[in-house]
Each structure stands twice: as C-alpha cells, then as structure tokens.
Amino acid sequence: MRFISKLAGPTCGLIAIVGTAAAQTFASDDYFVETVATNLSQPTTMAFVGPDTFLICEKETGRVKRVVNGVIEGIALDLAVSPTGERGLLGICLHPNFATNGFVYVYYSRAPNDGGSWVDNRIDRFRYQDGILSFNAGIASFPVDPNQANGPIHNGGIILIGPDDKLYAITGDLNRGRFSNPRIEQNSGTEFASGVGGIHRFNLDGTIPPDNPFFTHPDPKIRTMWAYGVRNSFGMTVDPLTGRIWFTENGPNNYDEVNVVPGPGMNSGWLKIIGPDSRDAEYSENGFDPYDEDDLTELPNSYYRDPEFSWLSTIGPTSILFL
C-alpha cells in the first residue's frame, strides 16, 4: 500500500485507474510516493483510528485489517461477502465521536458465507475495542430486488460523515433503471424507484433526516436520497472550506466526471446525460439519443448540475480527497 504525500500547500487530489485511454501524467517535486504497508489483498478504503494506526478493508476477503506503524497487527473484522465483480468490502468511516464511543461504519456486499450469493449491499455499525470490531447495529440495506437488475457491477460503496454529522453513502445504479424497466433515480421513469444510483443521507442511527430534500416522497427509497442520477462512483469527499460534497462518477464509453453537490437535491443526469449537457453525449445506454436537461426526471426540490470537470475519453477515476 502506498500513500501520496505532499510537502506543502492545500489542493484536491484525485486517483484514477487508467485503462485503454491515454494515460495522464503529473509530476511535482512537492509530491512523493511512500510505501507504508504490504501484503494486502485488493485494499479498498481505510480509516485512521490513531496517529499511526489505521483499519483497511480488503474487497475480496471481507477482512478489515489493523495496521500499526506500517505492520499488519491483526484482523479487526472478518465479514462474509460476495466479492463478484465490483461487490465486496467497499467502505469504512468513523463516527464523529469515535474517541468516546468507538463506533465504526462499514459498507459491504453481504453473503450468507464467504463467496456466497449476494443478499444486499448494507451499512452496519461496529464498536472498535482492543483492536477488534464487534457488531453494534444495522444502519441501511440496499437489497436484492426480484423486479430489477441485481448485477455485480456499479455498487458504489464510499461512506463518510458530513460536517452536519450525517452519514452519506454513495451507491451505483446496479444496472437498474434501463428504459425497459424505467426508474426515477436513473431519469428513465417517474413512477417507480430503483433504490440506488445516488448519494443517500442518514442520521447516524440509520433513520432518515426530516430535512432530506425528498423526505415527503411516498416511497421511502427516495426519502434517503441527497442526490441522484449517478451511474457509479468510487470516490466521495467533503471540501473542508465550503462543506460541499465532491464525488467522482464513472461514465460508460465516454465522459467520466468530477462532480460538486452545492446542496440537497442534485440530479447528476444519468442515464440520459453524462458529461456536460451541452455536449449531447450519445452512447448505447441512452439509446444514442442526445438528451437535454429538460428530459430528466424532476423531483420536487431537485436540480440538474453539470460536472465540475469531465474526461471525454474515460480513465476510470476512483478516489478523491482534499489534502
């Protein structure tokens, strides 16, 4: 495992997986790469529980390992996960009062046994004590739905606590909401909810905050939404100066995005729009139609916003953070 470190000055850092698209390079004497831990299996996310101690999630094994001064000191938690595709152990964050209550939130693809059939993507709360995470409470579930796609990709999984002490979780669309089975969050329908494909906002006990933008919606799956119209994301962070959420979004064969959420109710445009609306991107998943903002599913209190930045040729952006 390697950290990218900066010697001076604040900035926003972005990590990308570069595939067949042309690689984008960056060089600066202010930055250096340092290896701090090895012998990890497909690590996804981590959380510092002390100055020199962090917990790190392994996607395939479902294990949360404890690393102290760069050395793996043990397994804090071993979950039964379905690791197929983009499923697995995907997200972790600390309660704002972690120092006193020891609460840690984990997002994972639950299975009845290691490598078993997928049951749901869920967020559970654990208590950290003496290097071990013990189950405390179930917080949220994004389950199998027999009436919708339940594919192994587009699971999202990043979770964080916002400056408002609310829990934010980003989910991909699980390939739901295609025009053959239209859904609200994918801007393909107005009647039924997919339950995924956006940023969800919860109280720290899993209840729904009454100031969520769609709290009065008749479907409880919509009530948790803070933003929708998201294809998939591997990165979400908070601007420490403005308190706004930033997230990455992976496009199909064009237009990966970096998005800013100015406030509650943002619609990122998927699956009808990816990239800036004015570019009229056409791709197989929107039927090669150049949709516009007026074609989106508008919920009361919602608004569309173009990405802050986008790549025409996809590069697979993942993590994003403010240093």
Side-chain angles (χ1 to χ4, degrees):
M1 179 180 190
R2 301 187 299 174
F3 283 165
I4 298 176
S5 301
K6 189 173 189 300
L7 298 179
T11 187
C12 178
L14 181 72
I15 299 173
I17 298 173
V18 181
T20 56
Q24 300 187 18
T25 60
F26 173 80
S28 170
D29 292 338
D30 290 340
Y31 292 86
F32 61 92
V33 177
E34 178 183 11
T35 300
V36 296
T38 58
N39 297 319
L40 296 165
S41 175
Q42 298 189 40
T44 52
T45 50
M46 62 185 181
F48 280 87
V49 295
D52 302 304
T53 302
F54 59 87
L55 304 176
I56 186 159
C57 301
E58 292 185 336
K59 174 189 178 299
E60 299 280 317
T61 67
R63 292 174 176 173
V64 180
K65 291 185 174 178
R66 183 169 61 96
V67 179
V68 182
N69 292 317
V71 178
I72 298 173
E73 292 289 350
I75 298 171
L77 179 66
D78 191 352
L79 294 165
V81 300
S82 174
T84 307
E86 294 167 0
R87 295 176 183 147
L89 179 51
L90 304 176
I92 189 170
C93 70
L94 306 183
H95 190 284
N97 297 323
F98 170 78
T100 56
N101 61 28
F103 286 160
V104 177
Y105 296 86
V106 175
Y107 181 117
Y108 65 104
S109 304
R110 182 168 61 112
N113 48 65
D114 280 332
S117 299
W118 180 65
V119 176
D120 62 359
N121 288 333
R122 65 184 297 109
I123 303 169
D124 285 340
R125 189 173 67 197
F126 297 83
R127 177 174 277 112
Y128 179 74
Q129 187 174 12
D130 298 327
I132 299 297
L133 288 168
S134 302
F135 178 80
N136 176 262
I139 299 299
S141 172
F142 310 99
V144 168
D145 188 330
N147 299 311
Q148 298 188 78
N150 296 285
I153 62 173
H154 299 182
N155 290 267
I158 301 301
I159 54 177
L160 59 81
I161 308 298
D164 54 358
D165 286 346
K166 304 298 182 185
L167 175 65
Y168 292 82
I170 197 161
T171 63
D173 67 8
L174 290 176
N175 278 328
R176 295 177 179 177
R178 298 311 184 258
F179 295 121
S180 60
N181 192 6
R183 301 286 161 160
I184 293 169
E185 298 96 313
Q186 284 72 55
N187 290 289
S188 56
T190 58
E191 187 175 359
F192 300 109
S194 68
V196 292
I199 299 175
H200 306 257
R201 180 175 181 259
F202 303 94
N203 291 317
L204 297 180
D205 61 359
T207 56
I208 304 174
D211 60 343
N212 273 9
F214 315 122
F215 182 75
T216 59
H217 194 279
D219 193 322
K221 292 190 290 292
I222 297 294
R223 296 174 199 163
T224 68
M225 285 289 178
W226 187 254
Y228 65 105
V230 176
R231 184 176 185 267
N232 195 36
S233 176
F234 297 103
M236 180 171 59
T237 191
V238 173
D239 183 338
L241 296 180
T242 67
R244 291 179 174 179
I245 289 177
W246 290 56
F247 69 95
T248 60
E249 185 170 358
N250 295 83
N253 57 326
N254 50 26
Y255 282 122
D256 290 332
E257 299 180 352
V258 175
N259 290 285
V260 180
V261 184
M266 175 184 165
N267 184 345
S268 190
W270 180 256
L271 58 75
K272 290 182 175 178
I273 299 175
I274 198 77
D277 183 21
S278 62
R279 296 297 179 93
D280 292 334
E282 300 177 13
Y283 41 91
S284 60
E285 290 180 82
N286 75 351
F288 298 101
D289 285 326
Y291 287 103
D292 295 314
E293 177 182 350
D294 293 341
D295 297 312
L296 301 179
T297 299
E298 295 183 2
L299 292 169
N301 303 315
S302 71
Y303 60 95
Y304 169 76
R305 189 182 191 279
D306 269 348
E308 189 74 7
F309 183 82
S310 57
W311 294 264
L312 174 59
S313 298
T314 56
I315 68 165
T318 54
S319 298
I320 184 171
L321 72 157
F322 285 87
L323 301 179

